[in-house]
Amino acid sequence: MEKTTRTIAPAEVERQLALCDQIAELTAQWPEQPLACVHTYGCQQNEADSEQLRGYLARMGYGFTDDPEKARLILINTCAIREHAEQRVLGNVGQLIHVKRRNPDVLICLCGCMMQEPQVAQKIKESYRHVDLVFGTHALWRFPEMVKSLLTHRSRIFQSPDEAGSIAEGIPVVRQDKVKAWVSIMYGCNNFCSYCIVPYTRGRERSRQPQLILDEVRQLVAEGYKDITLLGQNVNSYGKDLAEPMDFSDLLRACNDIPGEFLIRFMTSHPKDATQKLFETMASCAKVAPMLHLPFQAGNDRVLKVMNRRHTREQYLEKIRALKALIPDVVLTSDIIVGFPGETTEEFEDTLKVLEEVRFDALFTFIFSPRAGTPAASMDDPMPREQKLANFNRLVELQDKISEEKHAAYIGKTVRCLIDGVSDEPGFDFTARTPGNRLVRLTGQGDLVGQFCDVTITAANKWSLFGQLV
Ligand code: SAH
Ligand code: SF4
Ligand code: F3S
């Protein structure tokens, strides 16, 4: 497979930071501090990218707002995973024309996975003339030079999406949360599941150096973070491209060895690369949360093959059994696609059988959405949408029942939870997470956010648990 990864030299990132400082000198002379409004769609990878973009913006002198009307710079970080996601973004970008009319000085910038698709970038250029800047995922590290150029020349910028995937270290971050943090350990994906756009929008797999990841985790723990999620599209293949190979299990263990009370989570895992070694590492590392998000997409072997998932249903189930043998109460979640081209209702029922056997705690379920340029987009897709919807509803109904039963089994138990926020639901003071990441709402007093506390679970529904502090 071609290796197109480009490691960005530290001096190049330094140059971007110097540009931030030049912009900061400029913005300091404006009558009031400029605000930036950053909106993020899509997965945690995009959230993590937005934290870097905010890091750059803060260094340029921008403050932050959620209100586009108050912003001098609007940045939308987009997701291309399903058509619905793209339509939503385009709708919202279209609306921004009114903001631009009221305030011609505002800079409207679009980035992320959609902008890595050449036809989307072209469409924005032609039909959304109020957009000032478009850049894809690979150009993120050069955001300051693009802003500098916009502020000086005021002409629209369209970054060519054919730039190679890169790894850039040393970009500042402004994190959104004080308790939970994301740490990207790798970028891109080599799997080319036949329905998926990610390998095209994120490029080939590339792993960050383990020392830099461990330094970041150590720093986060020192800053008081309690819940750290290692991110990648397929974390199980971490390290394959490193000069001195280190696999994902080794990395997890090294994170676990960092002193402090905190939890390590990770996502996403691919069944074909989830190994016995990984399961043993999870079982023996106290800080690694007892949970696994392991997408299986479909329960029928023919469908899995056309999806290019490179595992069978039985291989998947075998891995789940092996993991449950080591961690009996492991929390399991998965992603499922209903209505893949050519999937019959009978084949779909194999997916239901997997649900019944595994009994996931929760699922992320999607109806197939054709993505231009992926093999599945040109496959024969005879099933009418109503039938796909009917199948989808059966799936959701079954999972709701299982989730409700699994949650009900917590009632009466005392669980050590991490209090991670203030509850927006009346009657509850805090939200918390079980080690397996199930949501708990609870009552209590004091400044408890960020603390691990024992919670007795008193009630449950299909979405969450309810409890009292012990
Ligand atoms: N790298 C992760 C997640 C990728 S995207 C993984 O491999 O599991 C998250 C989920 O979106 C996928 O697991 C899949 O269930 C869903 N998805 C991806 N492409 C899709 C498409 N074209 N239509 C519907 N769902 C899709
Ligand atoms: Fe997409 Fe498959 Fe890669 Fe996940 S593993 S990002 S589903 S191609
Ligand atoms: Fe979406 Fe890109 Fe993530 S397509 S799901 S934001 S990798």
Side-chain angles (χ1 to χ4, degrees):
M1 187 157 291
E2 63 169 332
K3 281 260 183 285
T4 48
T5 302
R6 205 181 139 214
T7 302
I8 307 302
E12 291 193 65
V13 177
E14 282 299 325
R15 195 174 70 83
Q16 298 299 322
L17 294 175
L19 288 168
C20 289
D21 296 342
Q22 288 175 22
I23 297 169
E25 279 173 30
L26 194 75
T27 56
Q29 289 160 22
W30 294 357
E32 49 195 275
Q33 188 195 24
L35 300 179
C37 171
V38 182
H39 279 179
T40 311
Y41 295 80
C43 63
Q44 275 80 12
Q45 197 83 68
N46 251 19
E47 296 287 347
D49 285 353
S50 287
E51 294 187 337
Q52 292 193 329
L53 291 160
R54 282 197 190 87
Y56 269 147
L57 285 163
R59 180 124 175 196
M60 294 174 203
Y62 285 84
F64 297 98
T65 173
D66 279 334
D67 182 359
E69 300 283 347
K70 295 196 179 120
R72 280 289 290 255
L73 187 151
I74 298 171
L75 176 58
I76 303 192
N77 193 359
T78 65
C79 169
I81 200 79
R82 283 170 291 275
E83 190 174 355
H84 177 73
E86 291 205 355
Q87 290 309 337
R88 229 163 41 124
V89 167
L90 289 176
N92 291 348
V93 172
Q95 286 303 311
L96 290 178
I97 193 159
H98 306 295
V99 178
K100 187 82 166 182
R101 284 205 184 116
R102 277 192 289 275
N103 175 12
D105 279 341
V106 67
L107 297 177
I108 300 182
C109 313
L110 307 184
C111 64
C113 287
M114 269 172 85
M115 302 306 134
Q116 198 64 44
E117 297 179 279
Q119 76 281 11
V120 177
Q122 190 59 28
K123 180 172 175 173
I124 301 283
K125 191 171 189 172
E126 286 162 11
S127 315
Y128 294 76
R129 303 209 49 91
H130 56 292
V131 172
D132 298 286
L133 166 62
V134 165
F135 61 100
T137 56
H138 299 335
L140 182 151
W141 68 277
R142 292 195 290 108
F143 180 54
E145 83 185 31
M146 297 182 254
V147 174
K148 175 87 197 294
S149 164
L150 268 184
L151 289 172
T152 8
H153 307 299
R154 308 250 32 152
S155 54
R156 303 173 82 203
I157 303 177
F158 290 82
Q159 209 49 62
S160 149
D162 52 18
E163 193 167 319
S166 58
I167 292 196
E169 295 291 350
I171 300 177
V173 288
V174 171
R175 296 186 193 268
Q176 287 298 84
D177 200 279
K178 297 268 173 273
V179 180
K180 302 187 205 190
W182 317 115
V183 175
S184 293
I185 62 165
M186 58 192 299
Y187 307 96
C189 181
N190 288 352
N191 289 320
F192 289 94
C193 301
S194 63
Y195 49 82
C196 184
I197 193 83
V198 171
Y200 307 89
T201 63
R202 292 272 172 184
R204 293 297 66 71
E205 267 174 24
R206 44 208 192 274
S207 305
R208 288 180 68 198
Q209 292 298 326
Q211 281 322 318
L212 296 174
I213 296 169
L214 293 171
D215 286 348
E216 188 171 339
V217 173
R218 240 176 254 121
Q219 175 70 28
L220 288 166
V221 173
E223 286 170 22
Y225 283 90
K226 301 288 181 209
D227 184 321
I228 295 171
T229 304
L230 307 180
L231 286 183
Q233 292 301 338
N234 177 13
V235 290
N236 306 142
S237 63
Y238 172 79
K240 285 185 180 157
D241 57 332
L242 291 173
E244 278 174 54
M246 177 186 213
D247 70 15
F248 180 60
S249 302
D250 300 334
L251 181 70
L252 268 185
R253 190 171 293 280
C255 290
N256 187 72
D257 289 343
I258 294 174
E261 189 181 23
F262 63 99
L263 279 172
I264 306 158
R265 309 185 197 275
F266 56 89
M267 66 188 296
T268 301
S269 296
H270 193 298
K272 76 176 165 54
D273 301 311
T275 57
Q276 184 68 21
K277 179 177 176 189
L278 171 69
F279 302 156
E280 283 164 8
T281 305
M282 290 170 66
S284 64
C285 289
K287 293 171 198 164
V288 176
M291 57 182 268
L292 184 67
H293 179 62
L294 196 64
F296 77 95
Q297 314 296 358
N300 177 271
D301 285 348
R302 188 197 67 80
V303 177
L304 282 170
K305 194 161 175 58
V306 198
M307 285 179 161
N308 194 29
R309 288 292 287 180
R310 286 174 280 178
H311 62 84
T312 62
R313 172 172 63 161
E314 190 45 39
Q315 284 166 338
Y316 182 87
L317 292 173
E318 198 39 59
K319 297 207 178 190
I320 297 287
R321 286 182 210 120
L323 176 59
K324 280 185 178 171
L326 290 167
I327 313 176
D329 56 357
V330 63
V331 168
L332 293 167
T333 53
S334 193
D335 293 349
I336 292 173
I337 297 177
V338 175
F340 185 80
E343 183 186 57
T344 64
T345 294
E346 211 183 347
E347 287 170 333
F348 158 75
E349 283 166 355
D350 288 336
T351 298
L352 299 181
K353 288 182 198 145
V354 175
L355 260 59
E356 272 159 356
E357 169 154 359
V358 176
R359 292 181 60 81
F360 294 97
D361 293 75
L363 285 182
F364 300 89
T365 48
F366 310 102
I367 291 185
F368 170 75
S369 169
R371 306 283 63 217
T374 64
S378 48
M379 289 177 189
D380 236 13
D381 191 5
M383 187 181 279
R385 187 156 174 89
E386 302 79 73
Q387 183 61 51
K388 290 189 181 187
L389 266 174
N391 291 348
F392 182 82
N393 290 338
R394 277 176 75 189
L395 179 79
V396 172
E397 216 171 284
L398 174 60
Q399 182 55 42
D400 281 354
K401 183 172 134 284
I402 296 172
S403 293
E404 203 166 349
E405 288 167 5
K406 293 208 85 165
H407 282 168
Y410 282 87
I411 297 175
K413 290 192 177 149
T414 296
V415 190
R416 192 150 180 82
C417 294
L418 173 63
I419 307 211
D420 65 347
V422 172
S423 176
D424 52 6
E425 197 154 300
F428 295 95
D429 304 302
F430 296 106
T431 59
R433 294 282 165 172
T434 66
N437 213 28
R438 308 314 299 147
L439 172 65
V440 187
R441 293 185 190 277
L442 50 104
T443 49
Q445 273 166 9
D447 188 10
L448 297 179
V449 174
Q451 294 193 28
F452 288 94
C453 298
D454 288 328
V455 176
T456 302
I457 306 301
T458 51
N461 62 26
K462 65 187 177 202
W463 299 287
S464 59
L465 309 171
F466 303 89
Q468 275 167 359
L469 285 172
V470 175

